[in-house]
Structures are given as structure tokens and as C-alpha cells.
Amino acid sequence: MTDSGLAPLPAPDRPDSAARLRDALLAASFTADGLLDLLGPAAYAALARSETVPALRATRGDSPLETLVRLFLLQQPVPHARVADVLPVEDALEAGWLTRVGGDEVAAAVDVRPYGGPGGEDWFIVSDLGCAVGGAGGIGRHDERVVLGVGGASTTLAGITVRTPVTSALDLGTGSGIQALHAAQHATRVTATDLNPRALHITALTLALSGAPAADLREGSLFEPVRSDETFDLIVSNPPFVISPRARLTYRDGGMGGDDLCRSLVQEAGERLNEGGFAQFLANWQHVAGEDWQDRLRSWVPRGCDAWIVQREVQDVTQYAELWLRDAGDHRGDPAEYQARYDAWLDEFEARKVRAVGFGWITLRRTGSADPVVTVEEWPHPVEQPLGETIRAHFDRLDYLRAHDDAALLDSHFRLAAEVVQEQVGLPGAEDPEHVVLRQHRGVRRATKVDTVGAGFAGVCDGTLSAGRILDAIAQLVGEDPVLLRDRTPAQIRLLVEQGFLEPVG
């Protein structure tokens, strides 16, 4: 494939060449672990920031691994003879992975970055030259078809995705193919779409070079290439969610007004899910003057779906505009042009009465319940990735709570979740604390306030006594009417179960 203005890509229909190249890369320890050992933590971390000088200094030798790092990660021409000692160089040249430059040197046609899979797999993510790191890195490339590699958003989505075995998975806006690569490990059939045909080409390369099964690749925007009768067990998307004045860069700008792309993506996902299936997205949403942002997001959730929406970050409109202007490298260009583009962003936000922009995760689960549960919350604090199992368990607990009224809840047995601690906040020397907080040290690492009854209840939950019997014992201890305590406590128990502090036993 040849794109005007962009480098030609390797042939996607040469799996034999990709397999031979993969074998050579692995033989030279061109892996995530091998890179860390060679470069050291500082230079390795600098690569994730698109800073190459430390890695250049660390690869001044002539070992096979140093040769491959300079060739595929640092995009440095390397003598043909030196590459021939490491790779099947003529085969790689014929297939288009390498190109001839100068008299006797070769260069990489694409960026190839080692990526460690969740089970210790050695994978490789292909992207356009100089674009291995996705996100706001100031790539300085203005061609709208450029395909980025793995950034923080990509790994975040991969980490939060529920990884149960499924028959069918759909990756919308596949980009370099990282989500399709993950899905191929637990889905029998993977479909990937992208508006950019170059991205589909690169996804095919990522899958082939990583030794993964090929995906069904379809050109088009989001759900457009999907037949109306097709449904899936898993849908994932790291969409072009940036709220911008116009669709300038395909990899990030959705081309719809405001946050309409994210809204339509979420709303359309419901009818594309099989019963019990999950749809998981990263998204931006507007904080509009006079409107509750949580209500805005609740209105996006399609009928028949439970939802868990977590706002991870909020930026005012000036911060947001600056972030994405830098992402495009505009801060390096003509100051007058930069100012004009900055003004255009602020004009757009002003016209829509947008005061800030939120970023976070949206998870839907198709449910047969007539009473879906929609949870919208803010949690900007550190979490423990991967969170896929934590998210799956959250929806399992919703099913449990739906199936248990208050009487059944009081007859149930619970266990305090692992690594939950209690914190008491109050003045030194005070007899009673002002606040009691339960805090998780795993998963989302939530913290929630409880009263003394809630703290005492959680502390003795070891699965042996029913909730009702524990409350009766607490009532006797504190001198409270046990009937009144049974009436007012189930709501607190439900919250502790929903948030994962208490686990049902049996």
C-alpha cells in the first residue's frame, strides 16, 4: 500500500514473512523485558515519552538487540551487513518491512514496538514512523491518516476490558490494533473497524507480527461497516473522542459537534450487544453550564443496559485546548496560527456553553432486567490495573442485589473483601471519631464513609453469621431497637456490597 505523503507499508498478505521476522526479533530478545534490560528504567521510560536520546546513548554497541532497537524503535539507518546478521534482510526488504537508503544501509518502513501481553506474551505493535506513542505527545504530523501506536489511553482501555471467553468481539476504531490483539486471546471471532484504511492495514501487521489470528477488518466509521443483524459479546472502542472545532486528525477528532460522537457510540452499542455482553469505551464529555454532567451521561445509556461510568479527570476548556493543540504539534509552528486555532477552540466551547471537559470510562452490560442500574461517579485517584475482573464482579454484584430484597439480604451471609482497612478521622484524644472510612487496597481502591454500625457490621462479616443476626447482636451491644436497626441498615449494606467492600458468601 502506498499513501501519498506517508511511507509505504509492508505487505499485509505475507504471513510467512511476518512469521520469519517475528522469530528473528524474539531470537534477539527484542521484547519488552529485553528492552528494559538493555536500556535501563530511565531510558525505557523516556521512550514512552517519545524521547529517544537516552536510548540512542544506550545502543551505541553492535549487539543484535541494539541493532534492532536502532532500526525499529529509533528509526536510524543501519548498515545492510549488520542487519543481515540479525534478520532475514532480503525477505524483509521484499515484504516491505525494510527499505534501502543510501549506499549500503537499510531503514525501517514502520515503527515496531515490543509489547508485553497480560499472560507474558511477546507481542509487537506496528505504527507509522515516529508515532509509536499515542496520546498528547506533540507528534508534529499533520496528515490525518497517520496511525499512532500505544499510548496511555490504549493501555487503560485494555486494562479495564472484561476478559471472559466470548464468541464474538468488535473493536471500533481499531487504530494500530492493540484492542483487537487483546481480544483475539479470548474471542473466537474478532471484527475490527476503522475509517482510516491505513489503520486496518497496520492492524493486520500488528496481528501477524504478534502471531495472533487474523481479524475481520472492515473500513468505515464506527458501527457503519457492521450489518444491522450482527451482535457481539464484547464491544470495545478507544474512539476519536476529542471535542474539537473541526475534524482535523482522524486518529483523535470525531467529526461531530461537541461530544455527540461519544454519545451516539454509547447509545448505538445497546442494540449491538448479545444478552450479558459488555461494551467498554473511553470517552470525553462536556460539562455544560446549568446542566448536571452526571445527568448528561445517564441520558446516553441505552435501554436494557446496566452501566458503570467513571469520570477520571476534568479539565477546564483552556487546559483542554492546550493539550490537544500540543498533541498536533501546533505549539511548534507559527505563533499567529497557533493563536487562531486556540481562539477557534474557545469560540466553539463558548457557543456550546461548555465550561470543562470530563474524561473517563464507560462500561455497558446488556441485561434482561426490567430495572437496569446506572452508576455515574467520579474517581480521580490511582487504581490497580488490570481492572477487567473488578468490573465484571461489579456487574455480578448488581445481579445479586437485584435478586435480593431487604428481607433476603438480612438472611444472607457476607465476607469482608480482602485488603480492606478502616480509617478513623477525628481530633486527637476525642472519645469518638468524626468519620469512619473503609478503604480498599485492591482494584478501584475505593474509600467510603460509614457510620459506627456500618463499620462494626463490616468488621465482623466473616461469612459465619447472617446479616440479620449480626445486626441483632450490634443492637444489643449499643442498646438500640433491633427492629429499627434492621429497617435502616439494608441500604448501607447494599452500598457496601455494590462497591465491593462486602462479598456475598454462597
Side-chain angles (χ1 to χ4, degrees):
M1 174 184 289
T2 300
D3 285 313
S4 177
L6 290 173
L9 295 173
D13 55 354
R14 294 284 302 274
D16 53 341
S17 294
R20 284 191 286 271
L21 178 58
R22 172 179 171 79
D23 289 344
L25 297 178
L26 294 177
S29 296
F30 188 66
T31 63
D33 289 341
L35 283 182
L36 183 59
D37 288 342
L38 172 68
L39 302 179
Y44 187 83
L47 274 181
R49 302 190 300 270
S50 297
E51 295 291 349
T52 59
V53 171
L56 285 168
R57 293 175 61 85
T59 55
R60 290 176 286 194
D62 58 1
S63 71
L65 181 54
E66 288 169 293
T67 297
L68 294 178
V69 171
R70 283 191 160 255
L71 186 65
F72 285 114
L73 284 187
L74 305 179
Q75 280 90 60
Q76 300 294 306
V78 179
H80 181 286
R82 183 173 166 187
V83 177
D85 290 338
V86 186
L87 300 178
V89 65
E90 296 304 324
D91 185 57
L93 285 164
E94 182 182 350
W97 291 97
L98 302 176
T99 60
R100 297 184 185 275
V101 294
D104 64 346
E105 293 184 318
V106 297
V110 288
D111 194 304
V112 176
R113 180 152 303 207
Y115 177 81
E121 301 92 345
D122 289 315
W123 292 339
F124 301 96
I125 307 299
V126 180
S127 64
D128 273 312
L129 292 173
C131 300
V133 179
I139 61 172
R141 297 287 295 274
H142 295 280
D143 193 301
E144 65 174 12
R145 296 157 299 167
V146 71
V147 179
L148 301 189
V150 178
S154 302
T155 55
T156 293
L157 179 59
I160 68 173
T161 300
V162 175
R163 298 295 175 195
T164 53
V166 295
T167 300
S168 56
L170 174 63
D171 176 16
L172 296 172
T174 186
S176 62
I178 179 175
Q179 310 305 330
L181 178 58
H182 276 277
Q185 311 309 305
H186 63 103
T188 304
R189 183 177 71 256
V190 176
T191 302
T193 73
D194 205 289
L195 181 64
N196 182 3
R198 189 176 180 89
L200 297 176
H201 190 146
I202 283 181
T203 291
L205 298 175
T206 290
L207 295 173
L209 195 58
S210 297
D216 179 4
L217 304 176
R218 305 183 192 178
E219 183 179 344
S221 178
L222 303 176
F223 286 109
E224 285 179 4
V226 181
R227 297 192 313 271
S228 59
D229 62 343
E230 283 185 284
T231 56
F232 301 86
D233 303 310
L234 174 67
I235 299 172
V236 294
S237 184
N238 176 17
F241 52 67
V242 175
I243 301 171
S244 58
R246 62 186 180 89
R248 181 176 162 211
L249 297 172
T250 301
Y251 72 85
R252 68 169 206 191
D253 300 324
M256 296 186 187
D259 53 16
D260 284 353
L261 182 136
C262 291
R263 175 187 54 79
S264 61
L265 178 63
V266 173
Q267 290 179 336
E268 292 178 32
E271 62 186 22
R272 303 290 188 172
L273 282 175
N274 293 325
E275 195 69 24
F278 286 91
Q280 299 187 263
F281 315 106
L282 301 185
N284 274 177
W285 43 80
Q286 298 173 147
H287 285 232
V288 179
E291 178 180 291
D292 187 303
W293 68 271
Q294 293 180 323
D295 289 342
R296 181 183 190 86
L297 289 172
R298 288 188 183 95
S299 73
W300 291 8
V301 178
R303 296 181 63 182
C305 289
D306 291 329
W308 186 13
I309 302 173
V310 182
Q311 180 167 270
R312 295 286 290 153
E313 184 180 0
V314 182
Q315 290 184 316
D316 67 48
V317 292
T318 59
Q319 292 174 311
Y320 189 80
E322 290 162 13
L323 170 69
W324 295 109
L325 287 166
R326 289 178 180 276
D327 171 79
D330 292 327
H331 60 302
R332 299 184 182 134
D334 177 49
E337 186 175 352
Y338 174 82
Q339 182 175 340
R341 285 181 171 155
Y342 199 152
D343 270 331
W345 284 71
L346 297 186
D347 287 344
E348 179 81 3
F349 286 133
E350 185 175 341
R352 294 179 178 276
K353 300 182 180 179
V354 176
R355 300 292 181 261
V357 177
F359 167 81
W361 319 325
I362 298 177
T363 299
L364 308 177
R365 186 192 58 167
R366 188 78 185 176
T367 176
S369 171
D371 185 25
V373 177
V374 176
T375 302
V376 183
E377 61 181 319
E378 185 167 21
W379 187 252
H381 309 293
V383 298
E384 181 188 44
Q385 285 274 37
L387 279 173
E389 179 59 22
T390 298
I391 290 174
R392 185 202 60 76
H394 168 86
F395 288 92
D396 285 348
R397 292 193 298 271
L398 294 185
D399 287 340
Y400 173 86
L401 292 171
R402 260 195 295 256
H404 290 72
D405 61 16
D406 286 355
L409 201 68
L410 293 174
D411 284 338
S412 300
H413 296 237
F414 300 95
R415 180 186 300 113
L416 187 66
E419 297 193 43
V420 172
V421 298
Q422 176 178 307
E423 300 174 357
Q424 297 186 169
V425 181
L427 293 174
E431 184 175 346
D432 296 313
E434 295 178 18
H435 303 293
V436 179
V437 176
L438 298 183
R439 187 179 300 278
Q440 300 167 348
H441 282 190
R442 303 298 303 273
V444 179
R445 296 174 173 164
R446 289 181 182 274
T448 190
K449 287 183 182 179
V450 292
D451 60 21
T452 53
V453 170
F457 178 87
V460 298
C461 279
D462 60 4
T464 58
L465 296 176
S466 70
R469 290 189 62 186
I470 293 174
L471 289 179
D472 290 343
I474 292 175
Q476 184 177 8
L477 183 66
V478 301
E480 188 168 340
D481 186 329
V483 175
L484 294 177
L485 192 61
R486 279 174 171 254
D487 284 344
R488 70 176 175 85
T489 307
Q492 189 168 192
I493 296 174
R494 285 185 180 278
L495 180 64
L496 292 176
V497 172
E498 180 181 341
Q499 294 189 343
F501 290 93
L502 294 178
E503 299 172 346
V505 175

